[in-house]
Amino acid sequence: MQKNISLLGSTGSIGRNVTKVVRQFPGRFHIVGLAAGKNIQLLRDQIEAFHPQLVSVATRELAAELIGMLPAGWNEKILWGQEGNIRVATLPQADTVVSSIVGGAGLMPTLAAIQAGKNIALANKETLVMAGDLVMREARRNKVELLPIDSEHNAIFQALAAGRKEDVHKIILTASGGPFREKDERNLWDVTPEEALNHPNWDMGNKISIDSATLMNKGLEVIEARWLFDIDVENIEVLVHPQSIVHSLVEYIDGSVIAQMGIPDMRIPITYALSWPERLKTGLSRLNLAQCMDLNFFPPDFNRFPALKLAYQACKKGGTFPAILNASNEIAVQAFLNRKIRFPEISLVVAETLNRLPQKSIKDISTVLDADLAARMQAESIVEALHIKFKQMTGQEIDTPELPERVNTRNLQK
Ligand code: MG
């Protein structure tokens, strides 16, 4: 049966991999809607390749520019902003929505898609980090499938098929450890955005690459797993596994541990999330265990990477804390990329924002959105204070031109 897909975040790292999968299986998958941010050159190519019913971009200006790049007749079909994303996410022709917008901006379109009864292939972690309880309730109420694309969660989803939910002892998320796994704590103050963006195993967008370097990405994944698999956070463990071959594991009460392995290529979890319960021949290079270097595992260093500890704490406290964690981290990561703060200060900004804002229980989505906004404003002011302090300390200006949207040149996923 052919799946009609609305793809949110089509020009990002996940989105581009989804379009490769769709091209590979033209009879299986069909794109009916596309939502992207600012990369309208690539979006134009995608429109020409897939002829979607509806398209959305970040702003009205970009929509006008995109219309100018397309043949006549597209005016009505090009929308913009959150409203445009929601229209693409709820397109009547779509039965499946791939949610791969980066950051908190993914929440409302994904929630709208769930409420419109679409099955979700979920790459956007923030949907569950910010409003996991509420989103999972909506998913159950609307009887939609939430299939994880994130490689760790996709692995757990597969490993959970080996037993009954009540027999699960714990789940173990693996983490590559990022580029600074072996760096001394003091030297972390001097790392540049370019060094932080150079991830050893995965080719990803800028935000998630920095999150991998701080281990905040793993922290967000712990919270995502807590809701997606309905498991207490005490029963979720993180293990550093530098080779990124074992994508995650489930331990059962009898002592059996089930792992999912594969080469680090996002097309494998994407294809599975779209074809489940079937498996398709991806044609990708096979995992050759005999040729594998050693597979190592060790516990994460919570002192050098406090972001992971903050995420565990926010998850335990619950309510609006995970949304505050996420929003302040987004602001701090952007400030680091803009060279306004230094690498260890990313976690400082998050910790301080969590300190300053009250915890609220989540009644409805507006509680989440209010906490998100308040955290962004609070984090901005902390960033400014740190930035001024740094300039005074060194007597220098650390502002330099902004980085291009993608500077990560590693390409394991051609
Ligand atoms: Mg992941």
Side-chain angles (χ1 to χ4, degrees):
M1 196 191 72
Q2 181 172 272
K3 268 193 185 146
N4 292 321
I5 296 168
S6 268
L7 172 54
L8 312 180
S10 67
T11 57
S13 173
I14 297 287
R16 282 177 283 127
N17 274 309
V18 171
T19 60
K20 286 179 195 163
V21 171
V22 169
R23 278 200 180 95
Q24 194 184 352
F25 301 102
R28 292 292 304 248
F29 308 127
H30 177 61
I31 286 182
V32 293
L34 289 170
K38 296 180 185 143
N39 188 347
I40 55 172
Q41 274 73 29
L42 177 56
L43 183 58
R44 186 216 24 220
D45 297 345
Q46 293 178 341
I47 291 169
E48 282 169 359
F50 298 112
H51 302 99
Q53 310 275 331
L54 210 58
V55 175
S56 175
V57 290
T59 63
R60 177 200 285 261
E61 292 71 34
L62 285 165
E65 208 179 316
L66 179 62
I67 289 166
M69 291 157 68
L70 293 165
W74 279 91
N75 301 33
E76 310 275 284
K77 296 182 180 177
I78 311 288
L79 310 171
W80 62 86
Q82 175 153 290
E83 199 48 46
N85 289 343
I86 290 175
R87 286 273 307 279
V88 173
T90 56
L91 190 65
Q93 291 91 336
D95 45 63
T96 300
V97 169
V98 176
S99 167
S100 55
I101 291 176
V102 177
L107 172 62
M108 294 310 280
T110 311
L111 187 58
I114 291 170
Q115 288 167 338
K118 314 295 186 192
N119 289 323
I120 309 290
L122 187 68
N124 174 273
K125 309 175 204 301
E126 291 79 1
T127 298
L128 291 178
V129 170
M130 294 169 73
D133 192 18
L134 197 147
V135 167
M136 293 309 288
R137 265 188 280 137
E138 283 298 300
R140 282 190 294 272
R141 200 167 65 86
N142 291 284
K143 299 188 173 62
V144 303
E145 301 286 354
L146 259 180
L147 293 156
I149 283 180
D150 207 345
S151 62
E152 295 80 1
H153 303 75
N154 193 277
I156 293 162
F157 180 76
Q158 297 192 44
L160 283 173
R164 302 186 309 170
K165 185 171 177 293
E166 54 268 42
D167 295 336
V168 171
H169 178 57
K170 66 178 175 192
I171 64 182
I172 302 163
L173 292 169
T174 54
S176 71
F180 307 140
R181 188 169 51 82
E182 284 170 338
K183 227 179 180 56
D184 192 81
E185 199 167 343
R186 279 165 307 160
N187 297 336
L188 286 174
W189 287 90
D190 300 323
V191 301
T192 62
E194 287 78 7
E195 290 171 306
L197 288 169
N198 192 16
H199 194 275
N201 304 341
W202 295 98
D203 175 21
M204 305 177 291
N206 284 355
K207 162 71 167 57
I208 186 168
S209 295
I210 301 301
D211 284 347
S212 292
T214 61
L215 290 200
M216 180 59 92
N217 182 52
K218 213 47 55 178
L220 298 176
E221 289 181 358
V222 167
I223 306 174
E224 182 186 5
R226 185 259 170 273
W227 294 113
L228 191 59
F229 304 116
D230 185 28
I231 185 162
D232 284 344
V233 67
E234 285 80 15
N235 299 329
I236 303 173
E237 197 178 296
V238 170
L239 263 189
V240 175
H241 166 48
Q243 293 85 9
S244 299
I245 296 293
V246 175
H247 297 309
S248 278
L249 317 91
V250 174
E251 184 181 324
Y252 289 91
I253 50 173
D254 63 348
S256 294
V257 181
I258 310 291
Q260 188 262 352
M261 296 190 265
I263 59 164
D265 189 310
M266 285 308 295
R267 283 173 292 177
I268 296 175
I270 288 168
T271 306
Y272 189 66
L274 291 176
S275 67
W276 177 85
E278 228 181 297
R279 291 183 187 268
L280 301 177
K281 285 182 183 165
T282 60
L284 293 168
S285 56
R286 303 248 148 214
L287 175 63
N288 185 339
L289 278 175
Q291 266 183 14
C292 264
M293 41 346 227
D294 299 326
L295 298 181
N296 306 118
F297 301 89
F298 41 88
D301 183 340
F302 286 96
N303 295 323
R304 267 188 314 142
F305 301 102
L308 182 56
K309 190 159 58 183
L310 290 170
Y312 265 105
Q313 286 166 348
C315 188
K316 269 180 210 156
K317 288 184 178 165
T320 49
F321 269 143
I324 294 169
L325 172 98
N326 175 66
S328 56
N329 180 59
E330 283 188 29
I331 297 296
V333 167
Q334 199 51 54
F336 171 69
L337 287 171
N338 295 343
R339 299 171 216 272
K340 290 191 85 170
I341 61 172
R342 290 165 294 166
F343 184 78
E345 289 173 330
I346 297 171
S347 301
L348 280 181
V349 170
V350 174
E352 188 55 23
T353 308
L354 285 164
N355 274 338
R356 289 189 189 179
L357 291 178
Q359 179 191 26
K360 291 186 180 148
S361 56
I362 294 173
K363 284 197 285 290
D364 51 36
I365 200 68
S366 68
T367 325
V368 177
L369 298 178
D370 290 349
D372 176 84
L373 187 62
R376 282 169 201 275
M377 286 163 59
Q378 192 63 252
E380 290 280 14
S381 77
I382 298 166
V383 161
E384 285 312 316
L386 285 170
H387 184 51
I388 290 165
K389 206 172 116 202
F390 182 78
K391 282 198 292 187
Q392 287 166 345
M393 249 163 54
T394 58
Q396 71 183 41
E397 182 66 54
I398 54 170
D399 276 2
T400 51
E402 280 190 27
L403 291 163
E405 201 157 306
R406 290 179 52 78
V407 300
N408 193 351
T409 50
R410 265 197 95 88
N411 191 5
L412 279 164
Q413 302 162 64
K414 279 183 237 36

